[in-house]
Amino acid sequence: MAVQSESFDVAVVGGGPIGLACAWRAQERGARVVVLDAGEPGAWHVAAGMLAPVSEAEFGEGDLLQLGLESARRYPAFCAGLEDPGLRSVGTLVVARDSDEAAALDRLAEFRRGLDLPVSRLRPSQARRLEPALAPTVRLALEIESDHSIDPRKLVAALARVVDVRRARVTGLRVAGERVTGVLTADGVVAAEQVVVAAGVDVARLDLPESARVPVRPVKGQVLRLRDPRGPGLVERTIRGEQAYFVPRGDGRYVLGATMEERGWDRMPTAGGVYELLRDMSEVVPGVFELEIEELLAGLRPATPDNVPAIGPGALDGLVWATGHFRNGILLAPVTADLVASVLNDEALPDWAAPANPQRFAGVAA
Amino acid sequence: MAVQSESFDVAVVGGGPIGLACAWRAQERGARVVVLDAGEPGAWHVAAGMLAPVSEAEFGEGDLLQLGLESARRYPAFCAGLEDPGLRSVGTLVVARDSDEAAALDRLAEFRRGLDLPVSRLRPSQARRLEPALAPTVRLALEIESDHSIDPRKLVAALARVVDVRRARVTGLRVAGERVTGVLTADGVVAAEQVVVAAGVDVARLDLPESARVPVRPVKGQVLRLRDPRGPGLVERTIRGEQAYFVPRGDGRYVLGATMEERGWDRMPTAGGVYELLRDMSEVVPGVFELEIEELLAGLRPATPDNVPAIGPGALDGLVWATGHFRNGILLAPVTADLVASVLNDEALPDWAAPANPQRFAGVAA
């Protein structure tokens, strides 16, 4: 690795989209930044990459919604600065299979309209004109043209081209008194004025002083990565059902996800998880059965007790958190990076970022 | 490879269980034998390895049944000569989910009894005492204690330890007049007095004189290879349903198979294939949903027009066929090897082997 003899303004722990985006924004503001990553892809490698703040935030999660809306708004400009980040500006259909689900969709439509967000209510025949692969049994659909998607693997590759990423297994932080002075790795110390911890769920395994920790636990999500041997066109839009979503990449590839399972660090795909995803999506898009399975895999979402991430200064000087993004790591990358860059430059954060303050967890166990 | 300068009594094309077993038996009878294999695992790598001649042979396939019974009878002695061939002498339960399937089981039971093969008819409560993981909805079960299984990957590894296997991509046969004089490979010629072609479905891609071909086509079979993180014990016996089977390896691993699909050379697992296997077996053993998916894969069975393999002399002198084993390549390995060894030694074959005579296909296109 050979960074021990160097010294940085900022060391970022974790080379997923959050860490890379934070590094990029910090670097743009003049800092000398290094990203340290163990080379084992995190949740982003599994993620579908939906940019859908409203449908991802549950009712009652207003704080998270606010962060999501801020980040979605920033996404086009964020991507404009990157080469081939995999942004796909095609909308989403949320579909209902029965009257209960249709009632839930009507509540979602009303909620979006209350936020002045565009949404169209489509009868089944209208929905099937847009997406002929939808099952005839679909009862109702909402078209949300502004809910786009991005390919997280392309995003990470694009970000990794603009920042300095080095292979290192981070084991903890170097602390002097109440101040972080660098990062401990398997190969030695990397000195840095400030440290951004963006290691996703792996923050739970870092050796940190108890007072400086944030409580993050893994929530397993299984996905199938599918491919249509006939090429693209089965569906153009992201299709969301009650239990599963189906995100087209535009090249005949699709991500079908995702389970939500509290199973510790287990990352094995299971027969039951795969079965349920296929069953639920095939009721909405029967053509999924014709697709080839390219990959079965599971990722670990970093969940906090209140589902809101931890973004901001930690309990030690020089420590900045950017973790706990749960289901929203891809969506929240731009806003997280902007907030972290502000913290690194000693600027006050906007009020809407207060719910993400990591210090709300002081004394809370994971 | 460096075998071009050598010369052999027998060259065997294909290092799957059929080719290896043929080589082993030929070698035991004094021949100098080489097995040429491209190193890309064939159908055996996917196969579950059931040794179940009666339930595999459909009604009306009496010729195939006879071959299967002969081979099953030879299996214990065959395995006794090998180190760790993966034989598992635990029986099979064939289960019915409804009255139609129960009627079919009663016909199977009668058929087996007519062949003097042991079979026990079990009420649901009796079946569930033997295998508590069976669904309460099972209507009837047959216990077939003599239907065992073998791990084809262990079998191939065991056979490969006792014969001379060399890596070579065989492209065709060397023919002089009406006589085969060796094998053409990507790296040169391997001279041999006699050539056994045991290349599974790949025989369809060998460059052979039209008159000497046997018609073999690929029939795709998808399987899931599953693992119970809690260890062995979900089921002890092979469980066969109408559409799917579930074969325990005894170490917490299971093979769930298999689809039957006419899709040419396509070997990709599909969402529909995986879904149907999981649905069908979960109706019989609901606990499959708890298992981890270690591998999804598909193999290509080498099928002939009449489902009976091609075992015996070909249309050229020195050419011996051992292919077209369709669903039965593992079961039929011992009997195929014995028959091929007889042919190589100019012995007449028994009458019951006549249906497998490759020359029945003279003039038949694949």
Side-chain angles (χ1 to χ4, degrees):
Chain A
M1 183 181 54
V3 291
Q4 287 94 311
S5 57
E6 302 171 73
S7 151
F8 298 90
D9 298 323
V10 177
V12 177
V13 180
I18 300 288
L20 292 169
C22 291
W24 183 35
R25 288 306 195 215
Q27 178 178 290
E28 284 186 326
R29 297 181 65 167
R32 183 146 185 269
V33 185
V34 68
V35 177
L36 304 171
D37 188 80
E40 293 158 5
W44 60 269
H45 187 71
V46 177
M50 286 180 295
L51 306 177
V54 175
S55 34
E56 276 297 303
E58 301 288 327
F59 291 104
E61 293 184 339
D63 296 335
L64 184 58
L65 174 63
Q66 193 64 38
L67 282 168
L69 292 172
E70 281 290 341
S71 207
R73 197 170 53 74
R74 291 165 200 228
Y75 238 106
F78 181 81
C79 284
L82 294 170
E83 187 195 325
D84 189 22
L87 185 64
R88 192 158 184 275
S89 301
V90 180
T92 295
L93 285 190
V94 191
V95 301
R97 290 169 298 182
D98 56 34
S99 56
D100 282 358
E101 290 182 8
L105 282 203
D106 276 327
R107 289 193 297 274
L108 177 62
E110 196 179 333
F111 185 47
R112 284 190 69 97
R113 285 196 200 95
L115 296 163
D116 281 330
L117 293 168
V119 53
S120 311
R121 194 176 185 282
L122 304 181
R123 291 191 308 276
S125 60
Q126 295 172 308
R128 296 185 71 210
R129 262 198 296 281
L130 289 183
E131 294 291 356
L134 287 178
T137 48
V138 161
R139 283 284 282 273
L140 178 67
L142 298 187
E143 183 183 17
I144 306 179
E145 289 188 65
S146 58
D147 275 3
H148 299 159
S149 66
I150 193 165
D151 181 338
R153 296 182 184 181
K154 284 192 175 178
L155 174 62
V156 164
L159 286 164
R161 285 192 286 269
V162 295
V163 297
D164 180 7
V165 185
R166 309 210 190 167
R167 181 69 62 91
R169 183 170 300 280
V170 172
T171 57
L173 302 182
R174 185 172 71 172
V175 180
E178 290 297 304
R179 175 152 199 94
V180 169
T181 63
V183 173
L184 307 175
T185 80
D187 301 315
V189 174
V190 178
E193 294 294 312
Q194 300 187 88
V195 174
V196 178
V197 180
V201 75
D202 287 332
V203 302
R205 299 199 270 205
L206 286 182
D207 183 22
L208 295 178
E210 189 61 42
S211 63
R213 302 184 74 86
V214 297
V216 167
R217 71 180 195 285
V219 176
K220 179 179 175 181
Q222 300 186 43
V223 309
L224 293 94
R225 299 182 75 99
L226 303 168
R227 179 180 164 274
D228 194 333
R230 298 158 303 182
L234 177 64
V235 302
E236 283 298 319
R237 293 159 186 78
T238 292
I239 308 294
R240 294 183 65 115
E242 171 75 16
Q243 307 289 344
Y245 52 74
F246 188 59
V247 181
R249 288 276 179 259
D251 63 351
R253 289 184 166 78
Y254 301 84
V255 180
L256 166 57
T259 63
M260 294 272 284
E261 302 167 78
E262 303 269 354
R263 290 174 59 103
W265 297 90
D266 165 37
R267 283 181 51 184
M268 283 297 288
T270 64
V274 167
Y275 178 79
E276 286 174 19
L277 292 171
L278 288 172
R279 183 194 58 203
D280 291 343
M281 189 45 61
S282 66
E283 291 176 7
V284 176
V285 180
V288 296
F289 284 150
E290 305 305 318
L291 304 183
E292 297 173 352
I293 301 179
E294 288 199 321
E295 293 179 63
L296 280 189
L297 64 179
L300 300 177
R301 307 176 186 90
T304 65
D306 58 9
N307 290 355
V308 177
I311 308 169
L316 299 169
D317 289 341
L319 171 61
V320 183
W321 286 105
T323 187
H325 289 73
F326 193 36
R327 296 164 61 99
N328 299 289
I330 307 302
L331 170 64
L332 296 179
V335 78
T336 301
D338 290 343
L339 293 171
V340 164
S342 291
V343 173
L344 292 169
N345 286 280
D346 262 335
E347 299 165 3
L349 294 187
D351 286 348
W352 49 260
N357 186 341
Q359 308 207 25
R360 73 190 187 279
F361 295 124
V364 176
Chain B
M1 183 180 59
V3 290
Q4 287 94 312
S5 57
E6 301 172 74
S7 152
F8 298 89
D9 297 323
V10 177
V12 177
V13 179
I18 300 289
L20 293 168
C22 290
W24 183 36
R25 288 309 195 211
Q27 177 178 292
E28 284 187 326
R29 298 182 64 167
R32 181 143 191 271
V33 184
V34 68
V35 177
L36 304 171
D37 188 80
E40 293 158 5
W44 60 269
H45 187 71
V46 176
M50 286 181 296
L51 305 177
V54 175
S55 35
E56 276 295 304
E58 300 289 327
F59 290 106
E61 294 184 338
D63 296 333
L64 184 57
L65 174 64
Q66 192 65 36
L67 282 168
L69 292 171
E70 281 291 339
S71 207
R73 197 169 54 73
R74 292 165 200 228
Y75 238 107
F78 180 82
C79 284
L82 294 169
E83 188 193 325
D84 190 23
L87 185 66
R88 193 159 184 275
S89 302
V90 180
T92 295
L93 286 189
V94 191
V95 301
R97 293 169 297 183
D98 56 34
S99 56
D100 282 357
E101 290 182 6
L105 283 204
D106 276 327
R107 288 192 296 274
L108 177 61
E110 196 177 333
F111 186 47
R112 284 188 69 95
R113 284 194 201 98
L115 296 163
D116 279 330
L117 293 169
V119 54
S120 312
R121 194 176 184 283
L122 303 182
R123 289 191 309 275
S125 60
Q126 295 172 307
R128 296 185 71 211
R129 261 198 296 282
L130 288 184
E131 294 291 355
L134 287 178
T137 48
V138 162
R139 283 284 282 274
L140 178 66
L142 299 187
E143 183 183 17
I144 306 179
E145 289 188 65
S146 57
D147 276 3
H148 300 158
S149 66
I150 193 164
D151 181 338
R153 296 181 184 182
K154 285 192 175 177
L155 174 62
V156 163
L159 285 165
R161 285 191 288 269
V162 295
V163 296
D164 180 6
V165 185
R166 310 210 188 166
R167 180 70 62 91
R169 182 169 299 279
V170 173
T171 56
L173 302 183
R174 186 171 70 173
V175 179
E178 288 299 303
R179 173 153 202 97
V180 170
T181 62
V183 174
L184 306 175
T185 81
D187 300 316
V189 173
V190 179
E193 295 293 312
Q194 299 188 88
V195 174
V196 177
V197 180
V201 76
D202 287 332
V203 302
R205 298 199 270 205
L206 286 182
D207 183 22
L208 294 179
E210 189 60 43
S211 64
R213 301 184 76 86
V214 298
V216 167
R217 70 180 198 283
V219 176
K220 179 179 175 181
Q222 301 187 43
V223 309
L224 293 93
R225 299 180 75 99
L226 303 167
R227 179 181 165 273
D228 194 333
R230 298 158 302 183
L234 176 64
V235 302
E236 284 298 320
R237 292 161 187 77
T238 292
I239 308 294
R240 295 182 65 116
E242 171 75 15
Q243 307 289 345
Y245 53 75
F246 188 58
V247 181
R249 288 277 179 257
D251 63 352
R253 290 185 166 78
Y254 301 84
V255 179
L256 167 55
T259 62
M260 294 271 283
E261 302 167 78
E262 303 269 354
R263 290 174 58 102
W265 297 89
D266 165 37
R267 284 180 50 183
M268 284 297 288
T270 64
V274 166
Y275 178 79
E276 285 174 19
L277 291 171
L278 288 172
R279 182 195 60 201
D280 291 341
M281 189 46 61
S282 67
E283 290 177 8
V284 175
V285 181
V288 296
F289 284 150
E290 305 305 317
L291 305 184
E292 297 173 352
I293 301 179
E294 288 199 322
E295 293 179 64
L296 280 189
L297 65 179
L300 300 178
R301 308 175 185 91
T304 65
D306 58 9
N307 290 356
V308 177
I311 308 170
L316 298 169
D317 288 341
L319 171 61
V320 182
W321 286 105
T323 187
H325 289 73
F326 193 36
R327 297 164 61 101
N328 299 289
I330 307 303
L331 170 64
L332 297 180
V335 78
T336 301
D338 290 343
L339 293 171
V340 164
S342 291
V343 172
L344 292 169
N345 286 279
D346 262 334
E347 298 166 2
L349 295 187
D351 286 348
W352 49 260
N357 186 341
Q359 309 207 26
R360 73 190 187 279
F361 295 124
V364 177

mmCIF file with all atom_site columns, all heavy atoms in Angstrom, chain A residues 13-28:
data_model
loop_
_atom_site.group_PDB
_atom_site.id
_atom_site.type_symbol
_atom_site.label_atom_id
_atom_site.label_alt_id
_atom_site.label_comp_id
_atom_site.label_asym_id
_atom_site.label_entity_id
_atom_site.label_seq_id
_atom_site.pdbx_PDB_ins_code
_atom_site.Cartn_x
_atom_site.Cartn_y
_atom_site.Cartn_z
_atom_site.occupancy
_atom_site.B_iso_or_equiv
_atom_site.pdbx_formal_charge
_atom_site.auth_seq_id
_atom_site.auth_comp_id
_atom_site.auth_asym_id
_atom_site.auth_atom_id
_atom_site.pdbx_PDB_model_num
ATOM 1   N N   . VAL A 1 13 ? -12.556 5.946  5.058  1.00 0.00 ? 13 VAL A N   1
ATOM 2   C CA  . VAL A 1 13 ? -12.580 4.498  5.263  1.00 0.00 ? 13 VAL A CA  1
ATOM 3   C C   . VAL A 1 13 ? -13.780 3.928  4.518  1.00 0.00 ? 13 VAL A C   1
ATOM 4   O O   . VAL A 1 13 ? -14.925 4.185  4.886  1.00 0.00 ? 13 VAL A O   1
ATOM 5   C CB  . VAL A 1 13 ? -12.679 4.161  6.765  1.00 0.00 ? 13 VAL A CB  1
ATOM 6   C CG1 . VAL A 1 13 ? -12.696 2.641  6.960  1.00 0.00 ? 13 VAL A CG1 1
ATOM 7   C CG2 . VAL A 1 13 ? -11.530 4.800  7.531  1.00 0.00 ? 13 VAL A CG2 1
ATOM 8   N N   . GLY A 1 14 ? -13.526 3.180  3.447  1.00 0.00 ? 14 GLY A N   1
ATOM 9   C CA  . GLY A 1 14 ? -14.616 2.562  2.679  1.00 0.00 ? 14 GLY A CA  1
ATOM 10  C C   . GLY A 1 14 ? -14.708 3.132  1.283  1.00 0.00 ? 14 GLY A C   1
ATOM 11  O O   . GLY A 1 14 ? -14.910 4.338  1.120  1.00 0.00 ? 14 GLY A O   1
ATOM 12  N N   . GLY A 1 15 ? -14.581 2.276  0.281  1.00 0.00 ? 15 GLY A N   1
ATOM 13  C CA  . GLY A 1 15 ? -14.584 2.697  -1.111 1.00 0.00 ? 15 GLY A CA  1
ATOM 14  C C   . GLY A 1 15 ? -15.861 2.341  -1.844 1.00 0.00 ? 15 GLY A C   1
ATOM 15  O O   . GLY A 1 15 ? -15.837 2.076  -3.042 1.00 0.00 ? 15 GLY A O   1
ATOM 16  N N   . GLY A 1 16 ? -16.993 2.343  -1.127 1.00 0.00 ? 16 GLY A N   1
ATOM 17  C CA  . GLY A 1 16 ? -18.294 2.230  -1.789 1.00 0.00 ? 16 GLY A CA  1
ATOM 18  C C   . GLY A 1 16 ? -18.719 3.600  -2.300 1.00 0.00 ? 16 GLY A C   1
ATOM 19  O O   . GLY A 1 16 ? -17.945 4.565  -2.256 1.00 0.00 ? 16 GLY A O   1
ATOM 20  N N   . PRO A 1 17 ? -19.947 3.714  -2.798 1.00 0.00 ? 17 PRO A N   1
ATOM 21  C CA  . PRO A 1 17 ? -20.380 4.995  -3.380 1.00 0.00 ? 17 PRO A CA  1
ATOM 22  C C   . PRO A 1 17 ? -20.375 6.138  -2.367 1.00 0.00 ? 17 PRO A C   1
ATOM 23  O O   . PRO A 1 17 ? -20.058 7.275  -2.736 1.00 0.00 ? 17 PRO A O   1
ATOM 24  C CB  . PRO A 1 17 ? -21.792 4.701  -3.891 1.00 0.00 ? 17 PRO A CB  1
ATOM 25  C CG  . PRO A 1 17 ? -22.209 3.442  -3.224 1.00 0.00 ? 17 PRO A CG  1
ATOM 26  C CD  . PRO A 1 17 ? -20.970 2.672  -2.927 1.00 0.00 ? 17 PRO A CD  1
ATOM 27  N N   . ILE A 1 18 ? -20.678 5.860  -1.114 1.00 0.00 ? 18 ILE A N   1
ATOM 28  C CA  . ILE A 1 18 ? -20.693 6.924  -0.108 1.00 0.00 ? 18 ILE A CA  1
ATOM 29  C C   . ILE A 1 18 ? -19.272 7.437  0.143  1.00 0.00 ? 18 ILE A C   1
ATOM 30  O O   . ILE A 1 18 ? -18.999 8.641  0.068  1.00 0.00 ? 18 ILE A O   1
ATOM 31  C CB  . ILE A 1 18 ? -21.305 6.417  1.218  1.00 0.00 ? 18 ILE A CB  1
ATOM 32  C CG1 . ILE A 1 18 ? -22.749 5.935  1.011  1.00 0.00 ? 18 ILE A CG1 1
ATOM 33  C CG2 . ILE A 1 18 ? -21.225 7.487  2.301  1.00 0.00 ? 18 ILE A CG2 1
ATOM 34  C CD1 . ILE A 1 18 ? -23.755 7.013  0.762  1.00 0.00 ? 18 ILE A CD1 1
ATOM 35  N N   . GLY A 1 19 ? -18.370 6.528  0.415  1.00 0.00 ? 19 GLY A N   1
ATOM 36  C CA  . GLY A 1 19 ? -16.997 6.943  0.690  1.00 0.00 ? 19 GLY A CA  1
ATOM 37  C C   . GLY A 1 19 ? -16.358 7.650  -0.495 1.00 0.00 ? 19 GLY A C   1
ATOM 38  O O   . GLY A 1 19 ? -15.703 8.693  -0.342 1.00 0.00 ? 19 GLY A O   1
ATOM 39  N N   . LEU A 1 20 ? -16.567 7.082  -1.675 1.00 0.00 ? 20 LEU A N   1
ATOM 40  C CA  . LEU A 1 20 ? -15.969 7.682  -2.871 1.00 0.00 ? 20 LEU A CA  1
ATOM 41  C C   . LEU A 1 20 ? -16.548 9.068  -3.145 1.00 0.00 ? 20 LEU A C   1
ATOM 42  O O   . LEU A 1 20 ? -15.822 10.005 -3.497 1.00 0.00 ? 20 LEU A O   1
ATOM 43  C CB  . LEU A 1 20 ? -16.207 6.771  -4.080 1.00 0.00 ? 20 LEU A CB  1
ATOM 44  C CG  . LEU A 1 20 ? -15.459 5.429  -4.058 1.00 0.00 ? 20 LEU A CG  1
ATOM 45  C CD1 . LEU A 1 20 ? -15.997 4.512  -5.161 1.00 0.00 ? 20 LEU A CD1 1
ATOM 46  C CD2 . LEU A 1 20 ? -13.955 5.630  -4.218 1.00 0.00 ? 20 LEU A CD2 1
ATOM 47  N N   . ALA A 1 21 ? -17.864 9.196  -2.981 1.00 0.00 ? 21 ALA A N   1
ATOM 48  C CA  . ALA A 1 21 ? -18.491 10.499 -3.237 1.00 0.00 ? 21 ALA A CA  1
ATOM 49  C C   . ALA A 1 21 ? -18.008 11.535 -2.225 1.00 0.00 ? 21 ALA A C   1
ATOM 50  O O   . ALA A 1 21 ? -17.726 12.694 -2.581 1.00 0.00 ? 21 ALA A O   1
ATOM 51  C CB  . ALA A 1 21 ? -20.017 10.365 -3.188 1.00 0.00 ? 21 ALA A CB  1
ATOM 52  N N   . CYS A 1 22 ? -17.887 11.133 -0.958 1.00 0.00 ? 22 CYS A N   1
ATOM 53  C CA  . CYS A 1 22 ? -17.362 12.047 0.062  1.00 0.00 ? 22 CYS A CA  1
ATOM 54  C C   . CYS A 1 22 ? -15.941 12.483 -0.298 1.00 0.00 ? 22 CYS A C   1
ATOM 55  O O   . CYS A 1 22 ? -15.578 13.665 -0.193 1.00 0.00 ? 22 CYS A O   1
ATOM 56  C CB  . CYS A 1 22 ? -17.368 11.377 1.440  1.00 0.00 ? 22 CYS A CB  1
ATOM 57  S SG  . CYS A 1 22 ? -19.019 11.103 2.126  1.00 0.00 ? 22 CYS A SG  1
ATOM 58  N N   . ALA A 1 23 ? -15.120 11.532 -0.712 1.00 0.00 ? 23 ALA A N   1
ATOM 59  C CA  . ALA A 1 23 ? -13.738 11.846 -1.069 1.00 0.00 ? 23 ALA A CA  1
ATOM 60  C C   . ALA A 1 23 ? -13.692 12.821 -2.247 1.00 0.00 ? 23 ALA A C   1
ATOM 61  O O   . ALA A 1 23 ? -12.911 13.782 -2.256 1.00 0.00 ? 23 ALA A O   1
ATOM 62  C CB  . ALA A 1 23 ? -12.994 10.554 -1.424 1.00 0.00 ? 23 ALA A CB  1
ATOM 63  N N   . TRP A 1 24 ? -14.544 12.565 -3.210 1.00 0.00 ? 24 TRP A N   1
ATOM 64  C CA  . TRP A 1 24 ? -14.568 13.406 -4.419 1.00 0.00 ? 24 TRP A CA  1
ATOM 65  C C   . TRP A 1 24 ? -14.926 14.856 -4.056 1.00 0.00 ? 24 TRP A C   1
ATOM 66  O O   . TRP A 1 24 ? -14.246 15.803 -4.445 1.00 0.00 ? 24 TRP A O   1
ATOM 67  C CB  . TRP A 1 24 ? -15.576 12.815 -5.395 1.00 0.00 ? 24 TRP A CB  1
ATOM 68  C CG  . TRP A 1 24 ? -15.705 13.484 -6.721 1.00 0.00 ? 24 TRP A CG  1
ATOM 69  C CD1 . TRP A 1 24 ? -14.705 14.069 -7.450 1.00 0.00 ? 24 TRP A CD1 1
ATOM 70  C CD2 . TRP A 1 24 ? -16.901 13.627 -7.486 1.00 0.00 ? 24 TRP A CD2 1
ATOM 71  N NE1 . TRP A 1 24 ? -15.208 14.556 -8.629 1.00 0.00 ? 24 TRP A NE1 1
ATOM 72  C CE2 . TRP A 1 24 ? -16.559 14.298 -8.682 1.00 0.00 ? 24 TRP A CE2 1
ATOM 73  C CE3 . TRP A 1 24 ? -18.229 13.237 -7.288 1.00 0.00 ? 24 TRP A CE3 1
ATOM 74  C CZ2 . TRP A 1 24 ? -17.501 14.598 -9.665 1.00 0.00 ? 24 TRP A CZ2 1
ATOM 75  C CZ3 . TRP A 1 24 ? -19.166 13.519 -8.277 1.00 0.00 ? 24 TRP A CZ3 1
ATOM 76  C CH2 . TRP A 1 24 ? -18.803 14.207 -9.445 1.00 0.00 ? 24 TRP A CH2 1
ATOM 77  N N   . ARG A 1 25 ? -15.993 15.006 -3.268 1.00 0.00 ? 25 ARG A N   1
ATOM 78  C CA  . ARG A 1 25 ? -16.420 16.357 -2.904 1.00 0.00 ? 25 ARG A CA  1
ATOM 79  C C   . ARG A 1 25 ? -15.379 17.054 -2.024 1.00 0.00 ? 25 ARG A C   1
ATOM 80  O O   . ARG A 1 25 ? -15.141 18.266 -2.155 1.00 0.00 ? 25 ARG A O   1
ATOM 81  C CB  . ARG A 1 25 ? -17.766 16.319 -2.164 1.00 0.00 ? 25 ARG A CB  1
ATOM 82  C CG  . ARG A 1 25 ? -18.961 15.976 -3.048 1.00 0.00 ? 25 ARG A CG  1
ATOM 83  C CD  . ARG A 1 25 ? -19.048 16.880 -4.248 1.00 0.00 ? 25 ARG A CD  1
ATOM 84  N NE  . ARG A 1 25 ? -20.348 16.808 -4.913 1.00 0.00 ? 25 ARG A NE  1
ATOM 85  C CZ  . ARG A 1 25 ? -20.508 16.913 -6.240 1.00 0.00 ? 25 ARG A CZ  1
ATOM 86  N NH1 . ARG A 1 25 ? -19.463 17.060 -7.036 1.00 0.00 ? 25 ARG A NH1 1
ATOM 87  N NH2 . ARG A 1 25 ? -21.715 16.860 -6.765 1.00 0.00 ? 25 ARG A NH2 1
ATOM 88  N N   . ALA A 1 26 ? -14.749 16.303 -1.113 1.00 0.00 ? 26 ALA A N   1
ATOM 89  C CA  . ALA A 1 26 ? -13.723 16.905 -0.251 1.00 0.00 ? 26 ALA A CA  1
ATOM 90  C C   . ALA A 1 26 ? -12.531 17.361 -1.087 1.00 0.00 ? 26 ALA A C   1
ATOM 91  O O   . ALA A 1 26 ? -11.958 18.441 -0.865 1.00 0.00 ? 26 ALA A O   1
ATOM 92  C CB  . ALA A 1 26 ? -13.280 15.890 0.805  1.00 0.00 ? 26 ALA A CB  1
ATOM 93  N N   . GLN A 1 27 ? -12.177 16.556 -2.039 1.00 0.00 ? 27 GLN A N   1
ATOM 94  C CA  . GLN A 1 27 ? -11.059 16.845 -2.930 1.00 0.00 ? 27 GLN A CA  1
ATOM 95  C C   . GLN A 1 27 ? -11.354 18.081 -3.782 1.00 0.00 ? 27 GLN A C   1
ATOM 96  O O   . GLN A 1 27 ? -10.476 18.934 -3.982 1.00 0.00 ? 27 GLN A O   1
ATOM 97  C CB  . GLN A 1 27 ? -10.872 15.604 -3.791 1.00 0.00 ? 27 GLN A CB  1
ATOM 98  C CG  . GLN A 1 27 ? -9.830  15.613 -4.830 1.00 0.00 ? 27 GLN A CG  1
ATOM 99  C CD  . GLN A 1 27 ? -9.820  14.229 -5.515 1.00 0.00 ? 27 GLN A CD  1
ATOM 100 O OE1 . GLN A 1 27 ? -9.426  13.229 -4.913 1.00 0.00 ? 27 GLN A OE1 1
ATOM 101 N NE2 . GLN A 1 27 ? -10.264 14.175 -6.757 1.00 0.00 ? 27 GLN A NE2 1
ATOM 102 N N   . GLU A 1 28 ? -12.590 18.194 -4.244 1.00 0.00 ? 28 GLU A N   1
ATOM 103 C CA  . GLU A 1 28 ? -12.977 19.362 -5.043 1.00 0.00 ? 28 GLU A CA  1
ATOM 104 C C   . GLU A 1 28 ? -12.823 20.653 -4.245 1.00 0.00 ? 28 GLU A C   1
ATOM 105 O O   . GLU A 1 28 ? -12.669 21.725 -4.812 1.00 0.00 ? 28 GLU A O   1
ATOM 106 C CB  . GLU A 1 28 ? -14.433 19.247 -5.489 1.00 0.00 ? 28 GLU A CB  1
ATOM 107 C CG  . GLU A 1 28 ? -14.651 18.269 -6.621 1.00 0.00 ? 28 GLU A CG  1
ATOM 108 C CD  . GLU A 1 28 ? -16.094 18.316 -7.108 1.00 0.00 ? 28 GLU A CD  1
ATOM 109 O OE1 . GLU A 1 28 ? -17.004 18.536 -6.275 1.00 0.00 ? 28 GLU A OE1 1
ATOM 110 O OE2 . GLU A 1 28 ? -16.306 18.128 -8.311 1.00 0.00 ? 28 GLU A OE2 1
#
